[in-house]
Amino acid sequence: TPRSFNSTSRSMKLSATFLINTLGIASAASPVLDKSFADFLAGGKHSERKLTSTGSTYDQMKKMFCEHQHGDCTEENQKNRRRLNGPPAMPAHLLPDPHVGDAKNFTFPCYPLDNVDEWTMIAANDDDSIELVLPFDFKLYGTNYPAGTSIWLNNNGNLSFDNAISSFTASEFPINSPMIAPFWSDVDTRGIGKVYYRFFPDNKLSVIWEKVGFYPERGHRQNTFQVVISDGEDPEVGIGTNVCFCYGDMDWTTGGASGGMMGFGSNGATVGVNRGSHNDYIQVGQFNYTGSHYDGPGGEKDGVDYLDFKGTNILVDNTPRKGICFEATGLNIPPISNGFPLDNLVTVPCGSELDYTVQITSPELNQDVTVAISGVPTGMTINQVTSPAGDSISINMKWTPDFATQHGVSEVTFFAEDDYEIPANLTEVLKIHVAKCGSDAEVPTGCQALEESSCNADVGPFCTPWRSPEHCYADESFPLLITNRRVQAFENPEMVEFEGFWFHFLEDKAAQHTFTVDSGYPAPEMYCCVSEKSDLENICFAAGNSIPSAFTIRVTGGHSGKGIYVLPYGFGGVELMSGSPMTLADIMGELGPSVDKILVEEFIDGSEFGGIPSLPTEYKFHMFNGTVGAIDVIHNRGTACSCYAVVDEEWNRLDKHGCFVPQPAFGLDADADGCYDIDYDHGERHPYPFKGQNLCGELNEPKTCLLDSLKAIATDLSKTLGVYMRIDMFVSGDDKVFVQEYTTNHAGGLRHCAAKESDSGCIDSCFLGKIWKDKSSGTIYGGPQTSIPSILDGWRTKTKTDQCSISTGVTAGEAFTQACNA
């Protein structure tokens, strides 16, 4: 039983006696907590509850326990405390939600909650658990949990292995039961918040607690956090690393039944990993108050704001921070790092100075950690502060570089080691990019130049776009308009259809192919469409089937691609997206336990004149009821010279001012110059590739007749659709045009990279949103109603098998060939 219910303290004994006497529970004379009741609260062998602990008896017990702990337990209890704590919080449903998009902002090694239908949501509850079965091996401190082992997802912010644990008061580790705790505390989702889980095909399980409140049904403060566990073989999580924690905005620590007042105080929340042996455990910390103070796992209680936004693309001190990850496989866990940026790169703009702090911690109590630092550039000062317990070191770097002689990238290496009898160690390399100053500065407008490379002859010098906050009005913010429409279509597709719209059908790749071919335009031929993983092998590639030796496999999750495999040489040959050979068994092994559809399609070759097969150039048209807003171009995908560009229909570059993210206050013009504000100072400090692509330096315009044909196809399809849609097309090496796919949700509704100068001289990053507004016809969908093609009528209600039959039953037309010299 968790330690919080085995305490021998006077307060716990009195609490137990109070509950037993008040509720009339039979008990021995001993003042310690009755065993059956302890098991009931802790989810032990006498309870055997899965999603059933919300009965009236349990609620009555917990409320009485809460009152005796002097926690925030009832509305009446809240009223009695107003003179001490001020007025009550405004009801959550009346507040503007400050956490919108938190779960969407998770990034590797964690996962954004951007495709909710690919996750499983558990029912709203307090203290409940569900049993899952691991489809992969998981090792914790040398204990192996093989595939097929049960693991319990406990609503109170943790995973357990031996049994469900519904204990709502977190204990300091160690405890008796194996547990992985991204945030063990009294989560209550009956009032607000949701919990999702998802198994990924590459042997990972992720669980997200999104905007969850605390007991009893409090929602004025919310937490968002995630745990990812893997078999330790995934390169995204890190080879050897098998547990990662990530955090959105963290606003509370303690439920009312644990003695919490307004969400804080008392024991608080425990973060860490526990083997259940009393010896082997990781404790990141115990958090019980607001604020960001942190003094390591062996110090005092810590401030929960310390966890904020670790493992998201949200900026903390102008930098996105990594999640907290462990190599929790062996008997000694290496030190962990905190505060390092996602890509281990920080930038010092011209004329600025570096003032940056990182932290190295031994996650196991009673272990000291030491850090050796090398590669320190001339002039940098480093100050190390060790926690009183010796298990955490804070390292501050200050540096005002000589921009004339020290521009470029310096690498500072941190080697950390604990003092266990067989020490474990960690190495982090922080890259510090110092910009040039003066007329030859290497940072052009909106983009950070990269080092010279062999790609320059083809596409000019690459640069990494800045990511600058923009302050468009909400109804002219392109990302916000996309997000708002997608939420409507996802939450209430019946209403969308009732209003006469059908664009959301095209979130299904099979529907996309059907629509394109039925409209008379060429698409890659579809050889096979199945809805079961086993059918890829048993039907598509069964002996005697006539699929050509070169093909593409697309694994879809309804509206979103889950995986794509491009195999110009067939199975066993090089797969162009990864650059590695892949067999059918390799692909089957990567597929998750459930897929929506698997499509096997024609391979479109981007090479010229029979050269080595390559991926084709992609042209992605942002279309608004027949109007071209912008064209995204991806050139050389799958090679070291892959790059991204955004142009208008006259091939003028729209990406030279970088990329943009929406930011309140909407419509801000602080300097009253008549232009929406764009925070380029922030953007300059935060250059990031767009979907893994840096910007092309130079990009040759395609033949005029080819570009005209692309525009004509996009325009015609767009008029049929009516509403905004990104229409993506391939151009093969011999200038054949194919419609590839349709995208309703560009960049997940998070950012874009298009801006132009207005007639008044403003840099207008809102212009795509303005086109949307102008073409919206008074709806939120970005265009007028149009008639649904008869072949798609009722598409959403058809079975997957029927959808596949329709899609493979239409015959793709001959691709357009552009034989012109213009």
Side-chain angles (χ1 to χ4, degrees):
T1 306
R3 182 175 289 184
S4 57
F5 294 106
N6 278 337
S7 171
T8 57
S9 71
R10 176 175 175 81
S11 63
M12 183 58 73
K13 291 178 182 179
L14 288 174
S15 299
T17 304
F18 169 81
L19 281 167
I20 292 166
N21 292 341
T22 303
L23 296 175
I25 301 173
S27 175
S30 170
V32 298
L33 195 61
D34 178 83
K35 174 62 176 170
S36 63
F37 182 51
D39 282 335
F40 181 77
L41 287 179
K45 63 182 180 180
H46 295 284
S47 59
E48 295 298 327
R49 300 182 334 280
K50 295 184 180 70
L51 296 175
T52 59
S53 66
T54 54
S56 59
T57 301
Y58 183 90
D59 287 347
Q60 182 187 16
M61 286 179 173
K62 189 167 179 181
K63 282 185 178 180
M64 289 186 175
F65 184 75
C66 180
E67 284 296 294
H68 194 67
Q69 290 288 90
H70 306 294
D72 289 327
C73 312
T74 65
E75 292 303 325
E76 186 64 31
N77 180 252
Q78 289 260 350
K79 293 176 184 177
N80 293 337
R81 293 201 180 95
R82 285 178 185 172
R83 71 177 188 275
L84 298 176
N85 294 318
M90 185 181 294
H93 68 280
L94 298 179
L95 285 168
D97 187 357
H99 312 289
V100 168
D102 273 2
K104 292 183 179 180
N105 291 319
F106 284 122
T107 188
F108 287 128
C110 291
Y111 291 87
L113 189 67
D114 52 0
N115 302 318
V116 180
D117 56 335
E118 297 177 0
W119 297 71
T120 300
M121 184 181 74
I122 69 173
N125 72 90
D126 175 46
D127 302 338
D128 291 335
S129 305
I130 63 168
E131 183 178 359
L132 306 174
V133 178
L134 283 177
F136 55 86
D137 293 348
F138 179 77
K139 186 173 287 187
L140 180 63
Y141 271 109
T143 298
N144 188 46
Y145 296 94
T149 298
S150 290
I151 184 171
W152 280 266
L153 191 173
N154 303 308
N155 198 61
N156 286 333
N158 61 79
L159 306 175
S160 58
F161 291 89
D162 287 351
N163 51 259
I165 296 177
S166 59
S167 175
F168 47 79
T169 299
S171 301
E172 182 180 9
F173 284 162
I175 61 174
N176 290 336
S177 299
M179 178 188 284
I180 298 173
F183 197 79
W184 177 18
S185 193
D186 198 356
V187 174
D188 188 346
T189 56
R190 296 172 300 174
I192 197 168
K194 296 178 176 65
V195 180
Y196 301 88
Y197 71 89
R198 179 178 173 186
F199 288 100
F200 288 84
D202 41 4
N203 293 342
K204 286 178 286 192
L205 165 64
S206 173
V207 182
I208 292 176
W209 285 260
E210 184 193 30
K211 306 177 191 174
V212 294
F214 55 92
Y215 181 85
E217 299 185 54
R218 296 288 182 261
H220 61 288
R221 294 182 178 276
Q222 303 161 22
N223 285 347
T224 296
F225 54 97
Q226 180 174 177
V227 59
V228 176
I229 66 172
S230 79
D231 62 358
E233 299 297 325
D234 182 69
E236 289 174 348
V237 175
I239 301 299
T241 298
N242 64 340
V243 177
C244 284
F245 300 155
C246 297
Y247 300 89
D249 198 359
M250 302 294 287
D251 272 356
W252 64 267
T253 65
T254 318
S258 305
M261 296 284 288
M262 306 298 289
F264 298 104
S266 193
N267 274 24
T270 297
V271 175
V273 175
N274 179 77
R275 185 184 186 185
S277 66
H278 288 293
N279 295 315
D280 301 321
Y281 56 93
I282 303 164
Q283 184 162 291
V284 174
Q286 284 193 295
F287 301 85
N288 75 344
Y289 62 92
T290 188
S292 58
H293 175 75
Y294 178 77
D295 61 357
E300 301 296 324
K301 294 288 201 304
D302 298 303
V304 72
D305 294 342
Y306 168 78
L307 300 173
D308 279 354
F309 306 121
K310 293 185 186 297
T312 73
N313 56 25
I314 301 296
L315 307 178
V316 178
D317 294 332
N318 298 319
T319 305
R321 302 303 174 98
K322 291 181 179 180
I324 301 174
C325 297
F326 314 97
E327 294 181 21
T329 55
L331 293 178
N332 185 32
I333 309 302
I336 59 174
S337 62
N338 288 308
F340 282 84
L342 286 175
D343 52 4
N344 274 28
L345 174 69
V346 293
T347 298
V348 185
C350 174
S352 300
E353 67 174 20
L354 177 74
D355 187 350
Y356 199 83
T357 299
V358 297
Q359 198 164 37
I360 306 289
T361 300
S362 174
E364 298 173 286
L365 296 179
N366 304 317
Q367 285 190 10
D368 291 347
V369 63
T370 57
V371 180
I373 304 173
S374 59
V376 179
T378 301
M380 177 181 286
T381 60
I382 292 182
N383 183 34
Q384 295 192 39
V385 178
T386 302
S387 67
D391 54 11
S392 181
I393 298 178
S394 178
I395 304 163
N396 175 258
M397 293 161 280
K398 289 186 177 178
W399 185 31
T400 302
D402 182 339
F403 290 91
T405 62
Q406 291 183 305
H407 59 81
V409 177
S410 298
E411 294 187 350
V412 180
T413 301
F414 302 79
F415 178 81
E417 190 171 67
D418 62 29
D419 64 349
Y420 189 65
E421 57 188 28
I422 303 177
N425 59 67
L426 164 80
T427 300
E428 288 275 16
V429 178
L430 181 66
K431 294 174 286 187
I432 304 172
H433 177 264
V434 177
K436 277 185 180 179
C437 295
S439 59
D440 62 343
E442 60 191 43
V443 183
T445 301
C447 201
Q448 175 180 294
L450 300 178
E451 300 294 326
E452 294 286 321
S453 77
S454 58
C455 303
N456 290 356
D458 178 25
V459 289
F462 288 169
C463 65
T464 304
W466 301 350
R467 191 172 294 177
S468 303
E470 63 180 7
H471 294 276
C472 308
Y473 281 111
D475 63 350
E476 295 178 350
S477 169
F478 185 48
L480 292 182
L481 290 165
I482 287 174
T483 299
N484 187 39
R485 183 178 75 169
R486 185 180 181 281
V487 169
Q488 288 289 104
F490 173 76
E491 292 185 348
N492 199 346
E494 294 86 358
M495 179 59 70
V496 175
E497 292 156 35
F498 177 78
E499 294 179 359
F501 294 90
W502 52 277
F503 64 90
H504 55 302
F505 290 173
L506 298 187
E507 293 184 339
D508 183 339
K509 306 299 187 200
Q512 294 178 6
H513 177 86
T514 302
F515 169 63
T516 297
V517 176
D518 186 66
S519 299
Y521 289 105
E525 184 178 350
M526 187 177 295
Y527 303 132
C528 187
C529 174
V530 293
S531 57
E532 297 291 337
K533 172 181 173 180
S534 58
D535 288 344
L536 178 63
E537 182 175 13
N538 298 333
I539 295 179
C540 294
F541 292 100
N545 216 338
S546 58
I547 290 178
S549 58
F551 52 84
T552 295
I553 297 174
R554 288 202 291 170
V555 185
T556 78
H559 65 274
S560 174
K562 279 187 174 180
I564 182 167
Y565 305 91
V566 183
L567 294 155
Y569 304 102
F571 292 122
V574 173
E575 192 281 306
L576 296 186
M577 298 294 286
S578 64
S580 302
M582 295 201 77
T583 64
L584 175 58
D586 292 332
I587 294 173
M588 295 289 288
E590 287 193 0
L591 299 183
S594 63
V595 297
D596 183 76
K597 295 182 186 71
I598 305 175
L599 315 179
V600 183
E601 298 176 338
E602 178 184 3
F603 164 63
I604 307 301
D605 190 356
S607 65
E608 298 182 16
F609 312 116
I612 298 173
S614 63
L615 294 168
T617 301
E618 300 172 43
Y619 298 87
K620 303 170 181 286
F621 282 72
H622 295 272
M623 299 300 302
F624 303 83
N625 192 25
T627 297
V628 179
I631 309 168
D632 296 359
V633 184
I634 297 182
H635 187 58
N636 292 332
R637 187 192 283 275
T639 74
C641 295
S642 177
C643 63
Y644 172 83
V646 186
V647 299
D648 65 14
E649 58 183 317
E650 303 300 327
W651 210 254
N652 300 304
R653 292 292 287 266
L654 300 176
D655 55 14
K656 62 183 179 180
H657 299 289
C659 298
F660 306 92
V661 294
Q663 185 82 8
F666 301 121
L668 179 67
D669 180 12
D671 53 6
D673 63 353
C675 305
Y676 299 114
D677 287 351
I678 299 173
D679 189 353
Y680 284 119
D681 290 338
H682 178 98
E684 185 175 5
R685 296 191 297 271
H686 300 91
Y688 297 104
F690 184 80
K691 289 193 169 182
Q693 307 281 328
N694 287 303
L695 296 184
C696 307
E698 300 290 338
L699 190 65
N700 292 330
E701 183 176 351
K703 299 172 184 177
T704 300
C705 63
L706 175 59
L707 184 57
D708 287 344
S709 294
L710 289 166
K711 288 190 288 187
I713 295 171
T715 299
D716 189 49
L717 289 170
S718 175
K719 288 179 178 178
T720 302
L721 290 160
V723 301
Y724 164 76
M725 187 74 69
R726 200 188 76 201
I727 301 174
D728 299 355
M729 288 178 272
F730 284 148
V731 173
S732 65
D734 55 355
D735 285 349
K736 290 182 178 179
V737 177
F738 299 82
V739 179
Q740 176 200 9
E741 64 180 3
Y742 304 82
T743 300
T744 64
N745 189 34
H746 175 66
L750 296 175
R751 61 190 66 89
H752 70 100
C753 304
K756 58 173 60 174
E757 288 194 30
S758 68
D759 294 339
S760 60
C762 298
I763 304 303
D764 185 6
S765 66
C766 313
F767 80 94
L768 288 177
K770 293 174 182 176
I771 299 175
W772 179 304
K773 183 178 179 180
D774 180 60
K775 296 286 185 177
S776 65
S777 299
T779 75
I780 68 167
Y781 301 118
Q785 302 165 340
T786 57
S787 299
I788 183 171
S790 59
I791 199 168
L792 293 182
D793 194 17
W795 182 270
R796 193 173 55 81
T797 61
K798 298 181 186 297
T799 66
K800 295 178 184 179
T801 300
D802 287 345
Q803 291 171 347
C804 276
S805 295
I806 295 170
S807 188
T808 53
V810 293
T811 302
E814 191 68 28
F816 294 109
T817 302
Q818 305 302 325
C820 58
N821 298 315

